[in-house]
Amino acid sequence: MNFKRDIIIIVTVIVLIVLLFVSNLYLGDADIPLGDVFSILSGGNAENEAWSYIVEYRLNRSIIAVFGGGALAISGLILQVFFRNPLAGPGVLGITSGASLGVALVILGGGAFVNALGGTAVLLFGALGAIGVLFLLLFLSKYIKNQVTLLVIGLMISYFTSAFVNMLYLWSNQEQTREFVIWGLGSFEGLSSNQVLAFTSTIVVFLALSILMIKGLNALVLGEDYARSLGIDLKLQKTLMIVVTSVLAAVVTTYCGPISFIGIAVPQLIRIGVKNNNHAFMLPAAFLGGALLGLTADIIVRSVGNALPLNTVTALIGAPIIIWTIIKMNKRLAGM
């Protein structure tokens, strides 16, 4: 019975994603007939030539919302298993902060990087910042076996990188500060088709890697001793978990800004709605949930003329879920 119920929920989410995706292509300041939208997508001609560019822009934005939201949700789900903590999320290891520091070096640090590398400077330095934190964590994980301790170190790395960003603010001008603040608010817009291809390709590769962790994730839910009894290589499993979650979070942060709450809130919603605890089912469900939340947030942003930052919308949706989770945890602990 629960399996049928779970399938119904997943199918419903897929239908909602399709409807929201099509709505995101249709809605906007330019009123483009739905028939022309489908004609453009199928390679045909539209009544107005400018509509082709508008539909391409909306299509890119919708794809980024789907894959960005899905990647953050997968990252959050894996991290919550890794730390055995429902409040763990993609920003918890300092990867998001590392990417932010890299972007800050370009935007706030001066025009030399931009002049030398052009528009790729933000992406390159954001990725380098995230990778730097990733390698630091991988190095420390050799000596630190306790996940909670590694979690605390990740938080300290976040504070450390934030301190550097604050210092860069002192040396930047008003225009640079404004550009970085806008990036920090998060957005699924502004990417070219080539950037969308690079973005989605990277995410697909690392989502495929997450499939290799399904057996280990199922075992780790029941404890490390149980995982060892099944012959799981815990060192390899944990390394894969850190690499996959870090790269997924880094890619989304670099391209879209530090988007909050999706990675923490969606896994909680999935656990409420879906009763199947097998990660062969949970991982796709989390991706679909993240895609749905990403599209929903983006449509809300567009419906008010981009007046609301994306992070504001995701916080309005995600924060109540996190508060509910904390209350539920406290009730459970009080009953013990």
Side-chain angles (χ1 to χ4, degrees):
M1 180 68 77
N2 281 339
F3 181 74
K4 290 183 178 179
R5 176 179 174 276
D6 291 344
I7 292 297
I8 291 172
I9 291 174
I10 294 299
V11 171
T12 302
V13 171
I14 292 174
V15 171
L16 288 173
I17 289 173
V18 172
L19 292 175
L20 290 176
F21 194 95
V22 173
S23 299
N24 222 15
L25 297 177
Y26 176 71
L27 299 173
D29 295 332
D31 188 12
I32 304 176
L34 195 58
D36 284 302
V37 170
F38 286 114
S39 176
I40 292 168
L41 292 176
S42 61
N45 296 320
E47 180 182 330
N48 189 330
E49 187 176 345
W51 287 350
S52 298
Y53 299 101
I54 296 173
V55 171
E56 181 183 358
Y57 164 82
R58 293 175 181 175
L59 176 64
N60 289 344
R61 183 167 180 165
S62 300
I63 292 172
I64 293 296
V66 168
F67 280 87
L72 290 174
I74 291 284
S75 182
L77 177 64
I78 295 173
L79 283 172
Q80 288 173 13
V81 174
F82 184 90
F83 290 112
R84 305 192 73 179
N85 188 331
L87 298 179
V92 77
L93 289 177
I95 305 300
T96 299
S97 298
S100 297
L101 177 59
V103 173
L105 285 171
V106 176
I107 297 177
L108 303 177
F113 299 126
V114 177
N115 294 335
L117 300 171
T120 61
V122 170
L123 299 178
L124 176 61
F125 276 78
L128 287 175
I131 290 170
V133 174
L134 166 63
F135 277 106
L136 176 59
L137 288 169
L138 288 176
F139 173 76
L140 293 174
S141 66
K142 294 180 181 179
Y143 307 98
I144 299 171
K145 305 304 179 183
N146 188 293
Q147 290 96 326
V148 176
T149 303
L150 197 60
L151 170 63
V152 173
I153 290 176
L155 293 173
M156 293 304 103
I157 291 174
S158 296
Y159 286 122
F160 191 72
T161 54
S162 296
F164 272 98
V165 172
N166 289 335
M167 287 191 291
L168 288 171
Y169 269 114
L170 298 176
W171 301 323
S172 61
N173 57 44
Q174 186 174 1
E175 182 180 349
Q176 292 169 331
T177 302
R178 181 177 180 275
E179 184 180 353
F180 184 75
V181 168
I182 291 174
W183 174 85
L185 294 175
S187 176
F188 292 131
E189 65 176 332
L191 299 185
S192 67
S193 295
N194 288 335
Q195 289 174 323
V196 171
L197 179 61
F199 178 85
T200 53
S201 299
T202 305
I203 288 176
V204 167
V205 168
F206 282 89
L207 289 180
L209 284 176
S210 69
I211 296 174
L212 301 176
M213 299 186 293
I214 289 174
K215 181 180 178 181
L217 288 169
N218 288 336
L220 281 172
V221 169
L222 299 175
E224 292 189 3
D225 291 336
Y226 179 77
R228 288 191 188 94
S229 70
L230 293 180
I232 303 295
D233 186 339
L234 288 181
K235 183 177 180 181
L236 176 60
Q237 178 74 17
K238 290 180 180 180
T239 300
L240 272 175
M241 292 170 78
I242 292 175
V243 169
V244 170
T245 55
S246 298
V247 172
L248 289 176
V251 169
V252 177
T253 301
T254 303
Y255 278 87
C256 308
I259 299 172
S260 60
F261 288 102
I262 291 180
I264 304 178
V266 170
Q268 302 305 322
L269 289 174
I270 295 301
R271 291 189 181 96
I272 294 170
V274 174
K275 302 306 178 184
N276 191 327
N277 293 323
N278 188 337
H279 283 82
F281 191 88
M282 290 284 286
L283 287 173
F287 180 87
L288 292 172
L292 181 61
L293 182 54
L295 276 172
T296 301
D298 192 52
I299 286 179
I300 293 173
V301 169
R302 291 185 61 196
S303 66
V304 295
N306 292 312
L308 280 176
L310 180 62
N311 267 333
T312 299
V313 177
T314 55
L316 288 172
I317 298 172
I321 298 171
I322 306 306
I323 294 171
W324 177 85
T325 302
I326 294 172
I327 294 172
K328 186 177 179 181
M329 287 173 62
N330 285 337
K331 285 183 177 179
R332 187 184 304 134
L333 291 172
M336 294 178 63

